[in-house]
DNA sequence: GTGGAATACGAAAACAGTTTTCAAAATCGG
DNA sequence: CCGATTTTGAAAACTGTTTTCGTATTCCAC
């Protein structure tokens, strides 16, 4: 069985940087540093991918089972407000969050079979959007581009799918 | 005051065509023709733009006040299933529906000030997406591209906004 | 036309994800 | 430490949508 995708290693230094940046944001806003917020952001930044609230809460509870939904939601809002995290919605009804560490901006391809989310960025695409906006006398603040479809590599795709089912089963 | 946008006239023939197409779909599926469904689709196809369920229900109630939410939701699902209508979500939490009459596929620019939705289509953009998918060994079934921003024509924009406020109040 | 099985309706309840409330607990500058 | 201010967690509320369930309508066979 070939290795599917070399799991990116978490860069602990980068995580620490983010934690500091968030702490500064909290200070700047005159808010308070709390055990719960620290746990939540420490957990979040050590996860990778596009994390749902439930996924995050499950992880957070491993460190502190008494933390509830409300605090996770509230902390995620703060993370978004701080600019360290972006909210995504891929049409399955739940919000997902990602620390935009990799690239400043990117778009997504979502496999409807295995659920894998591929990220991409293309300057020509971005430029073309700008040009089209220009033609319509429109100024873009932000955009979202999502390509829904399927992996062509069926083996890798079904492997991921299987793995996901196992994971869900516990 | 300059004319803002020449309101497209509804093409009654086209509407009748859609009504027929839906009737055929209903037959084909072995479902029943009902007063309510007829009212709802007749109303829907005579509205223009990106219609929310509530907007549609309000209009429908003018013809038959006894029709309820459930039936509107159910009929919209049928319309989508029939392929005559597409569901859109522009991030304000509500589903919107449009008969895709104008062009087979198009993308959207959404003004965050006045709420206006501009539609556009660009073959180069579509082709570029295909190329990027190809590079990722990915097959696109469908995509969504939304540009969020603001009209540059501030006068037209605020005129639309004002009108909308009036409408909401009235 | 009627009978009657199949389907659809509408009001209300249920649902899912998220937000808010509120009383108790934690934070932190003085 | 004090005490004003903020935060927390459980539960309630909220929002848009779906489902339920008893009644009403459709429509095919006769
Ligand atoms: Mn991403
Ligand atoms: Mn449109
Ligand atoms: Zn896949
Ligand atoms: Zn505008």
């Amino acid at each position: 069985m070939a290795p599917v995708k070399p799991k990116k290693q978490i860069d602990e230094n980068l995580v620490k940087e983010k934690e500091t940046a968030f702490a500064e944001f909290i200070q700047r806003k005159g808010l308070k540093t709390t055990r719960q917020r620290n746990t939540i952001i420490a957990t979040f930044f050590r996860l990778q991918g596009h994390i749902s609230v439930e996924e995050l809460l499950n992880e957070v509870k491993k460190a502190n089972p008494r933390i509830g939904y409300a605090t996770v939601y509230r902390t995620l809002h703060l993370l978004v407000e701080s600019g360290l995290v972006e909210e995504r919605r891929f049409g399955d009804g739940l919000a997902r969050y990602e620390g935009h560490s990799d690239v400043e901006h990117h778009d997504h391809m979502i496999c409807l079979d295995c659920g894998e989310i591929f990220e991409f960025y293309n300057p020509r695409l971005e430029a073309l959007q700008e040009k089209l906006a220009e033609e319509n006398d429109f100024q873009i603040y932000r955009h979202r581009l999502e390509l829904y479809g399927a992996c062509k590599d069926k083996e890798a795709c079904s492997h991921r799918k299987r793995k996901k089912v196992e994971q869900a089963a516990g």
Side-chain angles (χ1 to χ4, degrees), chain A:
Chain A
M1 188 175 70
V4 173
K5 200 179 186 182
K7 260 256 147 86
K8 236 176 299 168
Q9 193 63 42
I10 323 129
D11 179 343
E12 271 299 324
N13 286 345
L14 201 74
V15 171
K16 294 252 157 61
E17 251 176 59
K18 305 246 165 193
E19 288 178 331
T20 308
F22 186 68
E24 277 164 12
F25 168 79
I26 289 291
Q27 293 259 95
R28 209 178 319 128
K29 287 217 65 176
L31 303 178
K32 289 175 177 168
T33 304
T34 72
R35 202 185 313 291
Q36 290 92 329
R37 297 218 262 241
N38 287 341
T39 302
I40 291 166
I41 68 157
T43 306
F44 179 82
F45 285 127
R46 283 175 181 79
L47 290 171
Q48 45 196 190
H50 302 81
I51 311 295
S52 71
V53 176
E54 198 183 0
E55 281 163 6
L56 179 55
L57 180 63
N58 284 342
E59 287 305 310
V60 161
K61 274 189 183 297
K62 292 180 186 170
N64 178 354
R66 311 207 35 226
I67 293 177
Y69 265 104
T71 304
V72 171
Y73 272 107
R74 287 188 280 231
T75 306
L76 281 168
H77 291 330
L78 287 173
L79 280 166
V80 170
E81 197 190 337
S82 76
L84 292 165
V85 163
E86 269 188 60
E87 182 179 309
R88 306 281 185 190
R89 285 170 184 276
F90 296 129
D92 60 354
L94 16 146
R96 295 176 176 280
Y97 296 85
E98 67 175 330
H100 46 169
S101 38
D102 322 351
V103 256
E104 194 51 48
H105 161 79
H106 60 260
D107 296 303
H108 297 90
M109 305 183 194
I110 299 110
C111 174
L112 297 173
D113 278 350
C114 70
E116 186 78 2
I117 298 172
F118 304 96
E119 304 185 332
F120 67 95
Y121 172 79
N122 181 275
R124 288 215 296 131
L125 195 83
E126 306 282 323
L128 189 45
Q129 289 174 42
E130 280 300 339
K131 198 189 127 228
L132 295 171
E134 200 70 42
E135 283 172 11
N136 270 270
D137 208 21
F138 188 83
Q139 162 150 36
I140 304 175
Y141 295 163
R142 60 174 199 275
H143 72 260
R144 62 188 284 176
L145 172 59
E146 289 143 24
L147 313 181
Y148 295 91
C151 307
K152 282 185 183 163
D153 182 342
K154 281 307 167 195
E155 190 177 342
C157 180
S158 60
H159 176 265
R160 279 191 288 263
K161 198 172 174 177
R162 215 173 307 126
K163 211 158 128 192
K164 221 178 163 195
V165 172
E166 283 165 28
Q167 216 165 18

